[in-house]
Amino acid sequence: MEDLAGLTGLLYEIGLLKRYKRTGWLVAGVREPESIAEHSFRTAIIAAVLAAMEGADPQRAAFLSLFHDTQETRTTDIPYLGKRYLQVAPNEQVTADQVRNVPSAVADVIKGAVDEYETKTSLEAVCARDADKLDCLMQAIEYRDQGHQNMQSWIDTSVAALATETGKRLAEEVQRTGSLEWLAHALNGGSARSS
């Protein structure tokens, strides 16, 4: 069963994302930054929420988010500064290589998800891309709240890249709300303030 051997290899490869760190945070001075998998998890949750609020399919948006950085098992997470000096293969090409030896039904689903995300051909893809930026925004605020000082450029570029109205409104609220404010509300039995 060569297809299952290839699929098993892909699943092991995807597991690397649990160990690979997001390198931009290293540049910002975070010694133990989140992994790519940790980033992708919250991104998928945010994508589902944005899609629901934008009238898109939350499940599809979350699905697209799960695959948006899977190429980094092969390219790693290259910081923006490094990208100025490197030619990186397009994500669609990396994905095609990754799924070359898996069952065609699986390969088609994964390639389709990556292509849709990269080309922004659906509202779900736009929500997934906004979710990627919102997770980066939230992570920057969390790191800032933990004492890291070099976060403003990540905050600014994340906010500037947002496309959906819901994403923009959520970004405003994220910036007004402390990263642990939810905990005080939960401990006091209250609810979070609303905008």
Side-chain angles (χ1 to χ4, degrees):
M1 292 238 142
E2 187 175 323
D3 282 348
L4 288 184
L7 179 56
T8 300
L10 176 65
L11 296 175
Y12 275 127
E13 179 179 339
I14 296 300
L16 290 173
L17 298 176
K18 295 192 293 184
R19 295 193 302 269
Y20 286 3
K21 300 299 182 186
R22 303 238 314 146
T23 56
W25 302 127
L26 292 169
V27 172
V30 178
R31 289 184 184 200
E32 293 293 328
E34 66 177 338
S35 72
I36 296 166
E38 289 167 324
H39 160 68
S40 294
F41 172 75
R42 184 163 61 181
T43 297
I45 299 291
I46 295 169
V49 169
L50 282 179
M53 293 179 74
E54 287 285 321
D57 180 354
Q59 294 171 341
R60 183 68 182 167
F63 185 76
L64 298 177
S65 292
L66 289 174
F67 289 96
H68 86 282
D69 278 343
T70 53
Q71 306 77 21
E72 292 180 6
T73 61
R74 299 200 177 185
T75 63
T76 70
D77 183 31
I78 302 168
Y80 284 110
L81 179 60
K83 289 178 182 178
R84 290 181 61 191
Y85 304 99
L86 301 171
Q87 273 191 301
V88 180
N91 283 340
E92 298 93 332
Q93 180 184 339
V94 176
T95 298
D97 287 345
Q98 288 175 311
V99 300
R100 180 167 282 121
N101 296 314
V102 304
S104 61
V106 175
D108 291 346
V109 166
I110 294 172
K111 287 190 293 189
V114 171
D115 184 59
E116 184 178 339
Y117 179 87
E118 293 296 333
T119 59
K120 300 179 259 187
T121 55
S122 66
L123 181 54
E124 290 79 9
V126 174
C127 289
R129 294 179 77 84
D130 268 15
D132 178 46
K133 298 307 179 192
L134 281 166
D135 178 66
C136 186
L137 169 65
M138 295 180 82
Q139 190 64 63
I141 290 170
E142 288 166 339
Y143 286 145
R144 183 185 66 195
D145 287 356
Q146 294 166 14
H148 298 281
Q149 298 176 12
N150 299 316
M151 296 296 135
Q152 196 59 49
S153 65
W154 276 265
I155 292 169
D156 294 343
T157 56
S158 296
V159 170
L162 295 170
T164 64
E165 286 307 310
T166 302
K168 292 173 185 177
R169 287 191 349 257
L170 188 54
E172 290 172 5
E173 184 63 30
V174 163
Q175 292 177 84
R176 278 194 299 266
T177 305
S179 64
L180 289 178
E181 192 172 311
W182 67 271
L183 181 58
H185 291 290
L187 290 173
N188 294 324
S191 60
R193 66 181 166 83
S194 60
S195 315

